[in-house]
């Protein structure tokens, strides 16, 4: 399993507005190897909010195929053109990728 976390530092009080952008999927769920997407909101910071988009994939290669896909390019078109209504709310972001080495679930 492969997990990718895109952690967005957003303007204080704007987490819900940014998280709303991820309430519906726009093609990622059709990609081979896609397992799930979770949107996490951290309101514990004083100076900014944090929205983390966490996707789980069967393999690293599946995530990279998503990044190279037309669906990915379409979803990120407004961001890349600078016309996204959410982008001005994002102060910075960091993407990290993880190999899952242990996974425990409820029995």
């Amino acid at each position: 399993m492969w997990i990718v976390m895109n952690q967005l530092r957003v303007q204080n009080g704007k987490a819900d507005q940014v998280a709303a952008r991820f309430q519906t999927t726009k093609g990622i769920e059709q990609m081979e190897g896609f397992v799930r997407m979770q949107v996490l909101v951290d309101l514990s910071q004083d100076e900014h909010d944090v929205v983390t988009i966490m996707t789980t994939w069967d393999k690293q290669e599946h995530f990279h195929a998503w990044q190279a896909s037309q669906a990915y390019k379409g979803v990120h078109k407004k961001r890349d053109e600078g016309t996204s209504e959410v982008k001005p709310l994002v102060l910075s972001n960091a993407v990290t990728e993880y190999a899952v080495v242990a996974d425990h679930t409820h029995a």
Side-chain angles (χ1 to χ4, degrees):
M1 298 290 274
W2 194 254
I3 293 178
V4 180
M5 295 177 63
N6 184 4
Q7 189 172 69
L8 308 172
R9 280 184 51 238
V10 302
Q11 293 176 15
N12 201 14
K14 302 294 183 179
D16 288 344
Q17 189 174 345
V18 173
R21 156 67 182 79
F22 299 95
Q23 290 301 315
T24 58
T25 57
K26 296 173 177 65
I28 193 171
E29 74 283 1
Q30 303 297 321
M31 296 299 297
E32 180 181 358
F34 174 78
V35 175
R36 73 174 170 222
M37 179 173 73
Q38 296 171 293
V39 180
L40 313 172
V41 175
D42 175 2
L43 303 175
S44 67
Q45 308 296 316
D46 289 332
E47 297 179 8
H48 60 272
D49 295 342
V50 178
V51 177
T52 301
I53 299 87
M54 185 167 67
T55 55
T56 303
W57 301 85
D58 285 333
K59 299 177 184 175
Q60 179 183 23
E61 295 79 20
H62 292 139
F63 169 68
H64 292 290
W66 158 246
Q67 286 185 304
S69 73
Q70 288 301 323
Y72 179 91
K73 291 173 184 156
V75 168
H76 294 89
K77 183 178 181 179
K78 285 184 176 182
R79 178 200 69 185
D80 295 341
E81 292 175 344
T83 60
S84 169
E85 61 280 358
V86 172
K87 188 172 181 175
L89 305 177
V90 177
L91 304 171
S92 66
N93 80 301
V95 177
T96 51
E97 300 183 29
Y98 301 90
V100 177
V101 297
D103 188 9
H104 306 281
T105 59
H106 186 268

